[in-house]
Amino acid sequence: MTDQPAPGLLDKALSLLPLVARAGTCSLTQVAGELSLPLSTIHRLAQDLTRHGYLIRLGRGRYRLGPALLSLSAGLRLEDMLVDVARPLVQALARDCRACVHLGSFDGEMVTYLLKRGFGREKIFSAEGMQLEAYCSGIGKVLLAHLPVPDRTRYLAGGPFVALTPRTITDPVRLRAELDRVQAQGWALDDEEILTGLRCAAVPVRDRAGTVIAALSASASLTAMPMERVADLLPLLHRTADAIRRQLFGTP
């Protein structure tokens, strides 16, 4: 009887991924028990797979499949992974910013709010799953500013842009200049453009290659977010956006 060779690292990794896929999310302790392998071995494999984007580490030591597997299965959606990773980070950001935080993506020339976390008693009209026009929101400006040039040109030519408040930018020439400014400075401001009395600052969320896949914002009333406070919020927003990128794509 011929002895079977001991399983190598690739065999172990290929055994680990289907377990995570079936569970949706699971802990390394669960995986180690299922595979009858030492926890230290599973931990090393998980670190390598996370670094290369095949796994995502969620809160409390739980893992799910990562975006590197998107090319292998049409059943995986980047947005689902993005929401799972960002949820606790958005919650913490809302607390640290003392503002309402949104994560949004571009879908059919509209902004779709993927996540919303409020703060305090201040109410913001938005909701998860809601779609809003892009040209008048902080998240929308970030996403529009980073579209490929032909797509942005097509969007600007597709008006008219309705004024939701007296401060909404509706002129395509002014809007183009605003989007150029947003792209250059790396963040956007909605200064009572979508709702009178509401101010919002937004920054991009990027993938491994630097492509903008979503945007992150903090919104509050003018009294809670005077202009001088925006400068204090931007580092928090950028830091959270970077944390989302690192956890989702396994990049440093």
Side-chain angles (χ1 to χ4, degrees):
M1 182 174 179
T2 305
D3 291 335
Q4 295 294 320
L9 287 178
L10 179 58
D11 297 303
K12 295 171 184 176
L14 291 177
S15 298
L16 186 156
L17 291 173
L19 285 177
V20 178
R22 286 197 297 271
T25 66
C26 63
S27 68
L28 296 187
T29 303
Q30 290 175 277
V31 173
E34 289 278 350
L35 297 180
S36 300
L37 289 171
L39 185 58
S40 58
T41 300
I42 297 298
H43 183 72
R44 288 198 302 273
L45 284 172
Q47 282 185 319
D48 289 340
L49 291 168
T50 300
R51 187 168 61 252
H52 290 286
Y54 290 100
L55 287 179
I56 299 169
R57 189 178 189 278
L58 305 175
R60 298 183 179 179
R62 300 187 69 79
Y63 288 77
R64 66 159 292 161
L65 296 182
L69 291 166
L70 283 171
S71 61
L72 305 180
S73 173
L76 295 176
R77 295 200 323 140
L78 180 60
E79 280 190 356
D80 294 337
M81 300 177 193
L82 177 62
V83 167
D84 279 348
V85 166
R87 194 181 304 279
L89 296 169
V90 165
Q91 181 70 51
L93 180 62
R95 182 192 63 237
D96 294 343
C97 286
R98 304 175 67 85
C100 181
V101 173
H102 296 93
L103 178 73
S105 64
F106 199 59
D107 181 20
E109 298 193 344
M110 301 281 282
V111 170
T112 298
Y113 286 126
L114 304 175
L115 284 174
K116 174 187 177 180
R117 286 297 179 270
F119 179 84
R121 297 182 179 180
E122 195 167 69
K123 301 298 182 183
I124 305 291
F125 68 92
S126 58
E128 291 182 5
M130 177 184 286
Q131 285 195 317
L132 292 174
E133 294 288 351
Y135 64 91
C136 51
S137 69
I139 283 180
K141 288 182 185 181
V142 168
L143 297 173
L144 289 172
H146 291 88
L147 284 177
V149 172
D151 294 340
R152 194 205 304 183
T153 300
R154 191 178 308 114
Y155 178 90
L156 290 170
F161 301 106
V162 177
L164 302 184
T165 77
R167 297 182 64 91
T168 307
I169 301 173
T170 59
D171 177 64
V173 175
R174 283 188 59 209
L175 185 55
R176 181 180 291 107
E178 173 75 357
L179 297 179
D180 287 342
R181 181 164 50 251
V182 168
Q183 186 180 42
Q185 69 189 13
W187 63 279
L189 181 70
D190 161 16
D191 198 12
E192 298 188 272
E193 294 164 54
I194 199 168
L195 183 69
T196 298
L198 184 69
R199 182 170 285 144
C200 166
V203 302
V205 177
R206 301 177 184 273
D207 65 10
R208 182 190 294 269
T211 302
V212 174
I213 58 171
L216 189 66
S217 72
S219 304
S221 64
L222 300 187
T223 53
M225 192 186 291
M227 279 304 301
E228 57 267 24
R229 187 162 179 256
V230 171
D232 297 328
L233 295 179
L234 286 173
L236 295 174
L237 285 163
H238 281 300
R239 192 153 53 241
T240 301
D242 285 343
I244 292 171
R245 176 183 56 82
R246 288 195 304 273
Q247 289 195 31
L248 186 57
F249 295 99
T251 54

